[in-house]
């Protein structure tokens, strides 16, 4: 086992997932929802806590796992979660209820992010998490950066595409889109970007307030 693999394995083993999120994860796996990993979820929770997030949007419900991690970090926040799969939204609603999340703190929208996001108010959210339709990730990030307030953060898990992004031979459309997204945002003056390689990877983009 290489050093990076050992580090990832250790991070996965040492991350303590709250019981309510662990139950939501088990249900998500039964549904084939493929939720974010616990280490990535914990990072999202830290970002939500550090930013004192009150308004959060996520594209891709994952049967409630990512949303519960975000609310774990910011217990006063209101979450809007968008997913094309009604079954995943139903599972998330059930998971939020079991975790004691008040109904007024969660809004569930059925639909594709590409259809829903253009109708949402710009500069109105503290965090936008994007975990759906990898072929449309660049479009979703553009929407996310429009929706977050100055100093808000867009989070994109899975950007390493299972190791494909680091392989220069891989040039399929999804891998190329993730690679371009990472490279372009790292050099953009409009955001402060960081790439975490823990778990499946997490791209963090915080908007810079205009001077």
């Amino acid at each position: 086992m290489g050093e990076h693999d050992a580090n990832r394995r250790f991070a996965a083993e040492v991350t303590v997932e709250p019981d309510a999120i662990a139950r939501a994860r088990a249900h998500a796996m039964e549904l084939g929802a493929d939720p974010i990993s616990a280490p990535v979820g914990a990072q999202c929770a830290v970002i939500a806590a550090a930013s004192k997030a009150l308004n959060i949007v996520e594209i891709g419900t994952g049967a409630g796992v990512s949303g519960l991690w975000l609310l774990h970090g910011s217990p006063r926040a209101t979450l809007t979660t968008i997913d094309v799969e009604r079954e995943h939204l139903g599972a998330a609603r059930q998971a939020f209820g079991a975790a004691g999340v008040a109904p007024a703190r969660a809004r569930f929208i059925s639909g594709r992010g590409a259809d829903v996001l253009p109708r949402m108010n710009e500069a109105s959210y503290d965090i936008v998490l994007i975990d759906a339709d990898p072929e449309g990730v660049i479009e979703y990030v553009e929407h996310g950066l429009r929706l977050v307030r100055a100093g808000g953060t867009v989070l994109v898990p899975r950007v390493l595409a299972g190791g494909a992004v680091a392989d220069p031979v891989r040039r399929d459309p999804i891998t190329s889109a993730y690679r371009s997204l990472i490279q372009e945002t790292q050099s953009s003056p409009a955001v402060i970007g960081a790439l975490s390689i823990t778990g499946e990877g997490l791209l963090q983009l915080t908007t810079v307030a205009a001077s």
Side-chain angles (χ1 to χ4, degrees):
M1 179 182 294
E3 178 182 351
H4 292 305
D5 290 336
N7 288 339
R8 288 183 181 182
R9 178 178 173 182
F10 177 76
E13 291 174 348
V14 79
T15 301
V16 177
E17 191 161 55
D19 290 343
I21 304 180
R23 289 193 296 271
R25 178 180 303 283
H27 192 189
M29 298 301 289
E30 291 174 0
L31 296 175
D34 190 21
I36 61 172
S37 66
V40 168
Q43 289 189 32
C44 292
V46 168
I47 293 166
S51 61
K52 297 182 173 64
L54 294 177
N55 294 293
I56 302 172
V57 176
E58 65 170 358
I59 303 98
T61 302
V65 173
S66 51
L68 285 175
W69 269 116
L70 289 163
L71 294 175
H72 178 67
S74 190
R76 295 174 54 227
T78 298
L79 173 75
T80 298
T81 184
I82 304 164
D83 203 295
V84 72
E85 296 287 346
R86 292 183 179 273
E87 189 176 21
H88 295 177
L89 289 168
R93 192 187 299 273
Q94 179 181 349
F96 286 14
V101 176
R105 293 182 50 223
R107 181 168 64 139
F108 303 88
I109 299 178
S110 175
R112 294 180 63 250
D115 298 326
V116 176
L117 295 178
R119 304 196 300 267
M120 302 185 76
N121 294 330
E122 63 182 51
S124 299
Y125 299 92
D126 302 300
I127 293 175
V128 174
L129 184 143
I130 298 166
D131 186 26
D133 301 336
E135 62 274 8
V137 66
I138 292 178
E139 178 186 358
Y140 285 144
V141 169
E142 290 173 349
H143 280 301
L145 292 173
R146 178 183 63 83
L147 294 179
V148 293
R149 60 170 173 78
T153 299
V154 174
L155 300 173
V156 190
R158 309 185 205 275
V159 290
L160 299 176
V165 167
D167 182 356
V169 176
R170 292 287 298 272
R171 297 188 179 275
D172 59 274
I174 291 177
T175 300
S176 296
Y178 278 133
R179 189 179 293 126
S180 295
L181 174 65
I182 294 168
Q183 292 171 340
E184 291 175 11
T185 53
Q186 291 299 301
S187 59
S188 171
V191 298
I192 299 172
L195 175 62
S196 168
I197 62 171
T198 297
E200 61 273 33
L202 180 68
L203 181 63
Q204 306 156 61
L205 304 171
T206 297
T207 59
V208 177
S211 56

